Amino acid sequence: MQVLKNQIDSHNESLLLQHEAKLSFTRSEVPGAEEIIQKLTAFQIAIPSWALGTGGTRFGRFSGGGEPRSLEEKIEDVGLLHALNQSSGAISLHIPWDIPQDYRATRILAAQHGLTFDAVNSNTFQDQPGQPHSYKFGSLQHVDKTIRQQAIDHNIEVIKHGIELGSESLTVWLSDGSCFPGQLNFRRAYQNTLESLNEIYAALPDNWKLFLEYKAFEPNFYSTTVGDWGMSYSYVQKLGSKAYTLVDLGHHLPNANIEQIVALLLMEGKLGGFHFNDSKYGDDDLTAGAIKPYQLFLIFNELVEGMDARVMNHATDLGWMIDASHNVKDPLEDLLQSVEAIMLAYAQALSVPRRALEDAQQNNDVVTAQEILQNAFRTDLRALVAEARLRAGAALNPVALYRSLNVRQNLINERGLKTVATGL
Ligand code: RM4
Ligand code: MN
Ligand code: MN
């Protein structure tokens, strides 16, 4: 299934008048609208290969059909998303769920869809068939060096796959930790993990980054060896200049001030990138912006301010990735919604009058500071995001076009109703 240019054009034509009316109103309300549109056009968000099928929960899985059966079909799905929004120009792979059989062919297929390969992810949180040693009691932290070595070798293998595909970063997320008090010597677990990470880091090409993702709990419920941003920071700090912390929005304890974490990691030069999603309780992996859109905006507010302070390129200097799981929605529609929410939060953050906010802060004018942020958040910038899409050749309303083209039914016809994407 492919979305054709003329299908996008006729969809856009039908919405153009309405769009232009909204756009001109937004322009009249928002100073710097043109600059925002340009920044939005450059901004791309990577789609996780493991979110293209139904994730399910530990209680069950309800497939919607037409899920990608292979790496090639996953690339095609992300290609579809990118054709619809021109903002999802990268795919993030998870090894061993997505081992490429033919690097060259995989690279060519991705390029045909206008896609690049973002961070490659290692997996030492599951045992794979035929694997000699089990990760039941951890991987990089394990008390047994043989098991640590197996996990180190796996990560180095993942880097090799990534090099072949043109990826430039490795994301390490560890489920390592413990379920009961006394199970683990915390200090030794930390030291083993650091030693293992050092070996992985040594295999990293010069132009690569290592992202160390933290998570407060699950699947371990008493301690996690990379449990929060402080722990991740302490590892990446020791590893070296190519190592950074990765923030997954669903990996904090309830009510954590994620925007402050982001601001400080950025200030320290140790923020590597994001796994966007939303959560009500834990690692819920819900659509970005579905539950706490204001928090997403506040995070982008810190990002824009902090990146500008360090003269960073918004589009390329951090890793922008989604990490989601879908149980009740069509995964592709969900991902379109996530990308839209992220773009909107970014646009709103760009619209914040920085000087005025700084003045308010300097004058301890709390009321004005709040007015400024809430005004930016409550101003409807959807027309700017749509305009960026229009200029890039994408659809004014990606979800509406996806539905009117019956994409899911087409995928079911092509692939079948009972297909299961590899991954979670
Ligand atoms: C974890 C974590 C990782 C992801 C796995 C599938 O909770 O978020 O980033 O690779 O799930
Ligand atoms: Mn994640
Ligand atoms: Mn997660």
Side-chain angles (χ1 to χ4, degrees), residues 50 92 121 171 213 246-251 273-277 319 321-323:
W50 61 99
S92 185
N121 297 257
T171 299
E213 182 174 356
L246 184 134
V247 177
D248 181 315
L249 298 189
H251 286 192
F274 282 85
H275 275 177
F276 290 110
N277 50 50
M321 296 167 273
I322 290 173
D323 182 2

Side-chain angles (χ1 to χ4, degrees), residues 42-316:
F43 203 74
Q44 298 293 320
I45 297 143
I47 303 295
S49 70
W50 61 99
L52 298 162
T54 313
T57 69
R58 60 187 162 141
F59 298 102
R61 187 177 175 280
F62 306 96
S63 171
E67 295 187 7
R69 293 162 296 182
S70 61
L71 175 55
E72 287 69 28
E73 290 183 350
K74 291 179 185 179
I75 292 173
E76 281 162 23
D77 276 12
V78 180
L80 273 172
L81 297 177
H82 192 46
L84 290 166
N85 65 18
Q86 289 298 323
S87 310
S88 326
I91 179 168
S92 185
L93 302 189
H94 223 304
I95 307 295
W97 298 334
D98 304 309
I99 295 185
Q101 301 307 322
D102 177 343
Y103 294 124
R104 199 168 161 270
T106 307
R107 274 199 321 261
I108 291 174
L109 181 67
Q112 280 166 351
H113 289 282
L115 307 177
T116 57
F117 290 93
D118 210 295
V120 276
N121 297 257
S122 59
N123 179 342
T124 60
F125 48 87
Q126 290 176 322
D127 286 345
Q128 304 303 329
Q131 177 186 307
H133 308 289
S134 171
Y135 294 132
K136 180 170 178 181
F137 296 107
S139 59
L140 299 185
Q141 73 168 17
H142 205 284
V143 289
D144 183 345
K145 172 72 189 171
T146 330
I147 297 174
R148 298 204 294 278
Q149 193 60 49
Q150 174 182 279
I152 294 166
D153 293 344
H154 165 71
N155 275 276
I156 295 174
E157 194 65 38
V158 174
I159 296 174
K160 288 186 180 146
H161 289 305
I163 293 172
E164 295 295 335
L165 295 175
S167 172
E168 291 180 351
S169 45
L170 168 73
T171 299
V172 178
W173 172 69
L174 302 172
S175 66
D176 293 28
S178 64
C179 269
F180 296 97
Q183 184 185 331
L184 214 60
N185 177 311
F186 296 137
R187 205 164 8 91
R188 212 166 297 138
Y190 179 99
Q191 282 157 357
N192 284 341
T193 303
L194 179 62
E195 184 192 288
S196 306
L197 285 170
N198 259 312
E199 288 192 41
I200 297 165
Y201 186 85
L204 220 56
D206 285 346
N207 61 331
W208 272 53
K209 291 178 180 173
L210 185 149
F211 297 142
L212 185 61
E213 182 174 356
Y214 57 88
K215 179 169 172 175
F217 65 92
E218 194 202 23
N220 273 298
F221 291 106
Y222 173 62
S223 75
T224 300
T225 301
V226 191
D228 62 21
W229 75 282
M231 293 185 219
S232 172
Y233 178 76
S234 124
Y235 289 105
V236 297
Q237 178 77 349
K238 294 186 182 75
L239 287 173
S241 60
K242 293 185 282 181
Y244 298 86
T245 295
L246 184 134
V247 177
D248 181 315
L249 298 189
H251 286 192
H252 305 83
L253 292 173
N255 302 324
N257 188 331
I258 304 177
E259 52 272 26
Q260 186 182 16
I261 294 172
V262 167
L264 297 187
L265 282 171
L266 243 184
M267 179 188 78
E268 296 291 348
K270 280 298 187 190
L271 180 63
F274 282 85
H275 275 177
F276 290 110
N277 50 50
D278 212 342
S279 92
K280 177 82 178 154
Y281 301 107
D283 190 20
D284 308 345
D285 279 332
L286 300 172
T287 326
I291 308 280
K292 295 175 226 153
Y294 192 50
Q295 174 183 267
L296 187 61
F297 158 72
L298 293 174
I299 291 169
F300 268 99
N301 178 50
E302 295 303 330
L303 281 167
V304 167
E305 198 269 342
M307 291 184 89
D308 287 347
R310 297 177 67 86
V311 203
M312 289 166 76
N313 180 320
H314 294 183
T316 55

